[in-house]
Amino acid sequence: MLERLKQLEVEALTEVSNVPGLKELNDLRIKYLGKKGPIQEVMKNMKDMDPEERKSVGQISNQVKAVISQEIETKKEALEAEAIALQLANETIDVTLPGRMPAIGTIHPLQAILSELEELFIAMGYTVEEGPEVEWDHYNFELLNLPKGHPARDMQDSFYITEESLLRTHTSPVQARTLLAAKGKGPIKIICPGKVYRRDDDDATHSHQFTQIEGLVIGEDITMADLKGTLLELVRKMFGADREIRLRPSFFPFTEPSVEVDVTCSKCNGSGCSICKGTGWIEILGAGMVHPNVLEMSGFDSKKYQGFAFGIGAERIAMLKHGIEDIRNFYTNDLRFIAQFK
Ligand code: FA5
């Protein structure tokens, strides 16, 4: 019997030392130390033994149980420590890895140009005004010396909403609104950036919705030279001192004289390309001296007050500045295009 117990001890210790995991170790504990285990079996037979043998078998059985139990406990601690070490190794955080950068948006190139132009004019003493995009015919045309039926209305193909209201075709109605609000008293020095709408066919340089910046300066001593100086300052600040401009005589019913201002194309530098349609020039704004009729209709004494006005095409400025070939890029929301202007 004692032999059997010693043999069980050896077997159990061998199995415990080779056990691969905690589950298998628990199986071994049940196998050797459980109620139906071999040591318990030996102990059950002790009642048939003589007292001497019973005593020694009892003692040895308890010793063997204690040794196996101790060994299982030691192995369990070792396996648990191993499992924790493995888990820690797997969950290691490399604090030296660079973090994930959040995607940071960019200011739309058109908005950036508008902000730049606004700052430029604010620095020259202008204030910024706003006007409605759905406008009365009265402000968009009539107060600008364009009565109903005037042929020059055809210069700006319009989206009418009713007979009397439309999507404004230019930012010039803000001139009329500002003059009326001033109640015949100058000086005035404002700009008004905003969206305008025309039934133009979309192409590389035309869009049915685009952005203008209106300017209006009224005072008692304003001349065409002030207009020219202001436009030169604008073009030099925006495009650099090497860009050339040309003033072409033009016609707007609300200014007299009127000019259109072109800048040398930034893509071809004047030699002619697809952006400038081979001319070497891109038209960026219309301007002129405010027509006396416009001043009078809005309550200003045109003998006392004169002034100039201009309407800049903001997309054209952005295109020239960044060499953008197609105005439609501003409106198609292609992130690959927008992300270039960080
Ligand atoms: C006007 O809209 C006048 N109201 C400008 C003005 C204001 C003249 C004050 C005198 C005094 P024009 O239609 O030329 O003018 O437009 C002005 C600028 O807007 C043009 O020079 C051009 O840069 C831009 N523009 C005109 N049509 C379009 C279009 N379809 N798409 C993009 N830009 C355009």
Side-chain angles (χ1 to χ4, degrees):
M1 204 49 78
L2 292 175
E3 275 301 300
R4 169 85 184 117
L5 284 168
K6 279 289 159 201
Q7 190 193 345
L8 279 171
E9 183 182 312
V10 172
E11 274 174 25
L13 294 189
T14 311
E15 276 200 74
V16 168
S17 76
N18 292 330
V19 82
L22 285 164
K23 181 180 175 313
E24 292 83 352
L25 185 67
N26 194 42
D27 292 345
L28 284 182
R29 192 178 56 74
I30 295 164
K31 176 176 167 185
Y32 285 101
L33 306 179
K35 282 190 187 131
K36 293 179 185 154
I39 300 171
Q40 210 57 34
E41 219 37 56
V42 170
M43 289 171 104
K44 268 189 211 157
N45 296 331
M46 280 168 51
K47 59 181 183 324
D48 304 326
M49 295 175 191
D50 59 55
E52 221 25 56
E53 194 184 9
R54 190 187 304 145
K55 190 177 166 201
S56 63
V57 167
Q59 263 177 0
I60 300 295
S61 298
N62 283 335
Q63 270 173 20
V64 169
K65 269 169 83 173
V67 168
I68 296 174
S69 173
Q70 177 58 49
E71 201 58 24
I72 287 175
E73 203 46 44
T74 310
K75 186 72 181 178
K76 187 176 169 220
E77 279 167 20
L79 286 173
E80 279 172 351
E82 236 174 66
I84 287 173
L86 188 70
Q87 189 180 2
L88 284 176
N90 286 340
E91 291 176 5
T92 304
I93 296 167
D94 182 351
V95 290
T96 65
L97 276 178
R100 280 192 201 113
M101 295 301 288
I104 296 174
T106 55
I107 294 179
H108 193 282
L110 188 54
Q111 185 53 50
I113 286 288
L114 288 173
S115 304
E116 204 177 322
L117 285 166
E118 271 182 31
E119 271 167 38
L120 201 152
F121 281 112
I122 288 168
M124 290 198 267
Y126 288 69
T127 53
V128 181
E129 294 292 333
E130 281 187 354
E133 286 175 33
V134 175
E135 186 55 284
W136 296 112
D137 183 281
H138 186 60
Y139 293 103
N140 195 83
F141 290 128
E142 284 173 34
L143 284 177
L144 295 174
N145 209 20
L146 275 149
K148 287 206 171 75
H150 193 294
R153 283 192 177 209
D154 293 348
M155 287 164 75
Q156 301 177 0
D157 244 344
S158 319
F159 290 110
Y160 270 91
I161 294 166
T162 65
E163 286 259 308
E164 297 301 333
S165 63
L166 72 165
L167 293 178
R168 67 178 176 192
T169 53
H170 50 179
T171 41
S172 299
V174 181
Q175 282 188 41
R177 288 178 174 274
T178 307
L179 288 169
L180 281 173
K183 296 195 164 56
K185 206 169 167 325
I188 293 173
K189 205 170 177 188
I190 60 114
I191 56 161
C192 168
K195 295 190 188 82
V196 300
Y197 306 83
R198 287 187 200 173
R199 289 173 41 166
D200 281 351
D201 288 332
D202 289 0
D203 64 21
T205 50
H206 290 84
S207 172
H208 58 280
Q209 178 215 301
F210 60 102
T211 317
Q212 285 190 340
I213 298 183
E214 192 77 11
L216 176 68
V217 175
I218 300 291
E220 294 186 31
D221 263 323
I222 309 289
T223 68
M224 189 85 181
D226 296 312
L227 169 62
K228 213 173 153 188
T230 304
L231 298 179
L232 259 179
E233 179 74 3
L234 159 80
V235 167
R236 287 193 178 145
K237 283 259 166 58
M238 290 305 287
F239 305 114
D242 61 331
R243 281 260 163 263
E244 287 186 50
I245 62 168
R246 74 175 180 190
L247 271 60
R248 277 181 292 114
S250 185
F251 172 76
F252 297 106
F254 33 94
T255 47
E256 179 59 37
S258 304
V259 288
E260 268 175 326
V261 179
D262 300 339
V263 180
T264 42
C265 176
S266 61
K267 173 97 186 294
C268 61
N269 229 348
S271 59
C273 67
S274 62
I275 297 189
C276 58
K277 298 203 176 96
T279 63
W281 298 93
I282 292 191
E283 177 200 319
I284 55 163
L285 61 90
M289 300 304 291
V290 179
H291 197 292
N293 285 358
V294 172
L295 288 168
E296 298 286 344
M297 272 190 281
S298 293
F300 270 75
D301 178 356
S302 64
K303 302 239 168 19
K304 185 175 175 199
Y305 287 106
Q306 328 76 43
F308 65 78
F310 54 83
I312 308 170
E315 285 84 356
R316 301 269 176 93
I317 302 278
M319 288 169 81
L320 272 169
K321 187 146 180 144
H322 298 299
I324 296 165
E325 297 190 15
D326 197 318
I327 196 171
R328 289 165 286 202
N329 283 325
F330 292 115
Y331 298 108
T332 44
N333 287 335
D334 186 337
L335 286 179
R336 290 169 304 176
F337 168 73
I338 296 167
Q340 294 176 68
F341 300 93
K342 288 203 170 171

